[in-house]
Amino acid sequence: MHVNHAIYLLKGGAVRIDQEAGIIGEKWIQLDFEHTDDNGQFPLREHVLNERFSLDKVLAERAKELEYPAIHAQEVLEIIKSGAQAVFSPENVDPFYLEANPGDKGVIFRNENQEVIPLYELKENLLKGQKIHTISSSASKNLI
């Protein structure tokens, strides 16, 4: 495990780790901050995701739903598999963050304050930002 992975785990993130030989699927680990063991330590939760779940497919679905293809980039997949959050700064929209959520076989979107953003709310924000960009682009063309 890399030092960065340990940092992401301590921040509450999930990290994809290599499986042992013969095990099919993806294995993710995450600290369970809601419970403690007999020694007062936070236990490590393991999520083994079978072949029917694909983080790549989830990103493709969210990119399509949000009409924001940048979410489905290979670089984004690699970032969140490492346990980090991918950061997006669309024009005319507040930055947002994307992280893996292997426990629910999906992803989580967060705002700058690390609060969860519901998918519908993020979509509304992105669509408003696109409209503002379109209006300002056409307005600047009229000035030329």
Side-chain angles (χ1 to χ4, degrees), residues 7 14 21 40-41 44 50 60-61 68 70 73 79 85 89 93 98 117-118 122 132:
I7 292 168
Q41 303 291 320
L44 194 62
N50 62 30
E61 290 168 3
Y68 193 71
I79 288 169
Q85 291 179 321
S89 299
V93 177
L98 172 65
I117 307 171
L122 182 56
I132 291 170

Side-chain angles (χ1 to χ4, degrees), residues 39 77 107 117-118:
N39 298 323
L77 180 63
V107 293
I117 307 171

Side-chain angles (χ1 to χ4, degrees), residues 28-73:
W28 293 73
I29 57 173
Q30 186 172 27
L31 288 172
D32 181 356
F33 289 115
E34 295 178 9
H35 304 94
T36 55
D37 62 17
D38 295 337
N39 298 323
Q41 303 291 320
F42 298 112
L44 194 62
R45 290 188 309 191
E46 291 186 1
H47 307 283
V48 178
L49 306 175
N50 62 30
E51 297 170 330
R52 291 177 287 170
F53 172 76
S54 166
L55 188 55
D56 186 49
K57 287 180 185 176
V58 170
L59 291 176
E61 290 168 3
R62 296 303 170 263
K64 186 177 179 180
E65 285 177 77
L66 294 170
E67 299 176 36
Y68 193 71
I71 290 171
H72 189 226

Side-chain angles (χ1 to χ4, degrees), residues 2 5 8-9 15 23 38 43 45 51 70 78 94-95 97-98 109 120 127 133:
H2 299 287
H5 292 163
Y8 299 136
L9 287 171
V15 176
I23 298 178
D38 295 337
R45 290 188 309 191
E51 297 170 330
E78 294 306 317
D94 291 335
Y97 301 81
L98 172 65
F109 295 97
Y120 73 89
L127 290 174
H133 177 69

